[in-house]
Structures are given as C-alpha cells and as structure tokens.
Amino acid sequence: MLDMQNSSETYILFELAGTTYGIRSKIVRQMEMIERITPVPNTPSFVEGVVFSRGQVIPAINLRLRFGFEKIPYDPRSRLIVIHTGSRTVGMIADTAREFVSIPAEAVQEPPEAISGLSGRYIEGIATLGERIVLILNVEELLNATDTIALTQAGA
C-alpha cells in the first residue's frame, strides 16, 4: 500500500540574503521581473507599495525588509513572486527566484525549537537537498501576522 507520507511536493525556490527559501508551487500564480512599484502612504515599511500584474493591483512585500535584512537595490535577477492563498493575492519580492523542485516529504523536518518567536512562525519546515538547506515558508502565517493587516488595506 502506498504511504502518502512518503510523497513529494513541488516548491518554488528563491533566495534572500544568501539563504534559500521554498514555497509550495500550488500557491504561486507567476514570477516576474520587478518593474514599477507605486508607493502607498502609511503602510508598514516592508510593504513597498502596489504593482499592476495581469490586470490586478496587488500589494508588494519586500521579503528582505519583512525578515529584518538590509534593503538592497533591485537588479535584473530580482523577482516578484505573485502568490494566491485564501482570498489574498500578494507579490513577494525576492533577490532571485528561478528553481522549481520536487521535495520528498521525508526530506522536510520540523524546525528546531530554538527557531521560535516571530521568524520561527514563518518557517514551516527545513528541507535538505544534498548539501543545501531550504527553509520552507508558511506563507499563510506570514500573511496572517498581526502587523500585516495593513497589507490587505494597501491592496484594497
């Protein structure tokens, strides 16, 4: 009998400040180059503004700022990863995003207890792919954090 726990799931991998992160590919609508971001006043510092993507205005989150890293200028490798989860569509800005991989369930471990607090809530698991470590993001938790309520207002 097939054990569903030993199945695999597909992820989009992206980099941020030298670390590789993964998000489930089923919530990714598209990835695109960063073009024009329109600033919106009175939003949290990590909300860069809004973008027009495929006929829809969506908020753009700078993941570097969201995770407390230094902001860097965008370059041709920077990507806007447009995701849709629940009733929200959001663009997440990453340093680079170009990999689509299948990660076996047995390669994903629970995050250690030492990774708790604010950033730990966003980490759903840690996968090992050969010598690489991939932090699997819990996007729903990232978007549901109390200080992101302004996100939905920015996109409204």
Side-chain angles (χ1 to χ4, degrees), residues 21 67 111 115 118-126 135-138:
Y21 294 86
F67 293 159
I115 304 177
L118 193 59
S119 63
R121 291 194 334 230
Y122 306 148
I123 307 300
E124 182 173 288
I126 300 176
L135 302 179
I136 307 295
L137 281 185
N138 182 333

Side-chain angles (χ1 to χ4, degrees), residues 99-155:
E99 282 187 83
F100 179 85
V101 298
S102 182
I103 300 177
E106 62 269 13
V108 180
Q109 301 173 19
E110 295 267 327
E113 283 186 34
I115 304 177
S116 60
L118 193 59
S119 63
R121 291 194 334 230
Y122 306 148
I123 307 300
E124 182 173 288
I126 300 176
T128 51
L129 298 175
E131 296 294 310
R132 291 171 73 191
I133 292 178
V134 177
L135 302 179
I136 307 295
L137 281 185
N138 182 333
V139 176
E140 290 81 9
E141 188 66 39
L142 177 68
L143 296 180
N144 287 334
T146 53
D147 55 348
T148 61
I149 290 172
L151 207 68
T152 53
Q153 295 168 342

Side-chain angles (χ1 to χ4, degrees), residues 89-106:
T89 300
V90 176
M92 300 188 313
I93 301 167
D95 295 351
T96 182
R98 57 189 175 86
E99 282 187 83
F100 179 85
V101 298
S102 182
I103 300 177
E106 62 269 13

Side-chain angles (χ1 to χ4, degrees), residues 28-44:
V28 176
R29 284 234 171 124
Q30 73 255 10
M31 292 190 298
E32 48 194 65
M33 293 181 74
I34 297 171
E35 293 183 16
R36 181 160 183 219
I37 299 176
T38 303
V40 176
N42 300 319
T43 58

